[in-house]
Amino acid sequence: MTVGEKQVGSENPPEVLDGPFSTRQLLRIDEALRLADQGTGLVFSVFVGGLDEPIREHAQRLHHQLAEPDKSVLIAVSPNQRQLEVVTGRYARKRIPDTYAKLAALSMVGAFSGGDLAGGIINGLDQLASHAGKG
């Protein structure tokens, strides 16, 4: 099922449409994720929502729940809490050191402060994938 499609017999649209992104923004984020995955061989994920305290530990727990955490990169954003975490797995960290993850995070924060949540995520994915290179 694609975003905006109704399930047969369902009067309610998918829950995802109630989030902070338009359908177009979701499609752009999905495309950025696909390109980052294909271009690097790593697995990129984005979580947008509330994060429990301590924020970093919650983001790490989310990362560990991914199918391949060692080669995964998670961008966890909590707009209401004004928090951002980039979590890299053991293998992914070799290709995206913390210094580069912090640079991408600074770029995302700049876009977020300008009100561009989707654009910040897309730019962050592009920067992280560029630093990772082909895998």
Side-chain angles (χ1 to χ4, degrees):
M1 179 168 74
T2 60
V3 175
E5 259 182 49
K6 282 189 169 184
Q7 291 179 317
V8 176
S10 171
E11 294 301 316
N12 298 323
E15 224 177 278
V16 73
L17 293 179
D18 292 335
F21 303 112
S22 68
T23 301
R24 181 180 174 161
Q25 289 171 321
L26 285 171
L27 292 171
R28 289 180 54 223
I29 292 169
D30 186 58
E31 178 70 3
L33 284 164
R34 187 184 64 74
L35 290 172
D37 288 356
Q38 286 180 346
T40 64
L42 298 175
V43 181
F44 288 82
S45 299
V46 174
F47 171 86
V48 178
L51 293 165
D52 299 332
E53 295 286 342
I55 302 293
R56 179 71 182 177
E57 288 179 18
H58 186 191
Q60 288 172 329
R61 284 194 309 272
L62 291 171
H63 179 266
H64 289 299
Q65 293 174 7
L66 298 172
E68 298 179 84
D70 282 344
K71 62 182 258 185
S72 293
V73 178
L74 172 68
I75 298 173
V77 183
S78 179
N80 293 338
Q81 294 169 289
R82 302 178 74 78
Q83 295 289 324
L84 167 68
E85 290 289 338
V86 177
V87 183
T88 52
R90 188 173 7 146
Y91 175 71
R93 192 172 304 115
K94 292 177 183 176
R95 300 193 33 216
I96 306 172
D98 288 345
T99 305
Y100 293 116
K102 288 177 184 176
L103 287 172
L106 283 172
S107 173
M108 287 186 272
V109 167
F112 298 163
S113 65
D116 190 5
L117 184 60
I121 291 169
I122 291 164
N123 288 337
L125 285 165
D126 182 57
Q127 286 184 344
L128 292 167
S130 293
H131 288 302
K134 299 224 182 260

